[in-house]
Every structure is written in C-alpha cells, then in structure tokens.
Amino acid sequence: MGDDLFQFPITGWEIKTEPIDGLLSVRFPFLSHEQQKLAEADPGRPYVMQAEQARELRDALSRAIERLEDQELATPLLAETYNPFLIY
C-alpha cells in the first residue's frame, strides 16, 4: 500500500437491516495499529444507507475487484516476495 492511503485493515463486517425503514447498517471492525490483536479490533462506526446505495456500493466494489484481478493477471508474481494476503 502506498503511504497516501489510510492503513487500517478491516477484520470483518457486520450488516443489519431495518426493513420498516428500508435501511441497512454496515459496520467494519478494524485494526488501528500494527501491534493490535484481532480480539482488540476497534468495532468501527455504523454506516446507514438505503438499499439503492447498498447496490451502488456492491457494484463499485465489484468493479474495483475486477480491476485488481485484471492487474494481477497482467503482473508477473515474484515467488516468496509477494503475498497479497499479508496484513500486519
């Protein structure tokens, strides 16, 4: 990751629905520093959105994942020096 990006890796997500109001609540627990243990993850704030916003977020995430996968296919991997799943 570049130095210009926030580096607070998420440890999961929690999604709740409020059918009466037609809203979704999303929370992303995250690690706030390198020595933090998973059990100590910050619970994150709840973000509320309408169903249409959630669909737009889903589509935006899908497009971003496709771009990443396209770049991975175009970039040769160096054995033992690249680990896409390494987080702190």
Side-chain angles (χ1 to χ4, degrees), residues 18-53:
E18 293 293 334
I20 295 171
D21 298 325
L23 298 173
L24 292 106
S25 173
V26 180
R27 185 185 299 254
F28 298 102
F30 65 93
L31 300 179
S32 60
H33 58 83
E34 293 181 21
Q35 289 78 34
Q36 191 171 14
K37 296 176 184 171
L38 287 176
E40 301 169 347
D42 186 303
R45 295 180 177 185
Y47 296 97
V48 179
M49 63 186 90
Q50 297 173 342
E52 185 56 33
Q53 290 174 299

